[in-house]
Amino acid sequence: TGLSVLAVWGITFAATRISSVGALAAAAAAPVATWIFGRSPAITACTLVMAVLLIWRHRENIKRLRSGNERKIGSR
């Protein structure tokens, strides 16, 4: 599960060069991956709660992404 979520982050980051986009994509993928890999419903639910909290904590990044002001890694 962890490696699949890490792969989602890496692929998304490589495509966008924006770390927060990778983190948001990985957060969204985590509960899905947990469910696909057959983890218990309790673990899947905990993963879902953590994903929602991470997305909520990234709300400022989401605002910057929507306005086009989020900086890319490696840009000046």
Side-chain angles (χ1 to χ4, degrees):
T1 303
L3 290 175
S4 65
V5 172
L6 179 63
V8 168
W9 182 88
I11 291 166
T12 306
F13 174 73
T16 64
R17 304 305 298 173
I18 302 173
S19 181
S20 60
V21 173
L24 291 166
V32 176
T34 304
W35 175 74
I36 287 172
F37 287 111
R39 305 296 181 224
S40 73
I43 291 175
T44 302
C46 287
T47 306
L48 178 62
V49 169
M50 289 188 295
V52 169
L53 287 172
L54 187 140
I55 292 168
W56 181 75
R57 291 291 310 250
H58 273 77
R59 62 191 182 278
E60 292 300 320
N61 296 75
I62 294 168
K63 288 178 188 176
R64 286 192 299 272
L65 286 165
R66 293 183 75 180
S67 68
N69 295 326
E70 185 73 353
R71 290 182 26 185
K72 292 184 178 189
I73 301 293
S75 67
R76 293 186 181 254

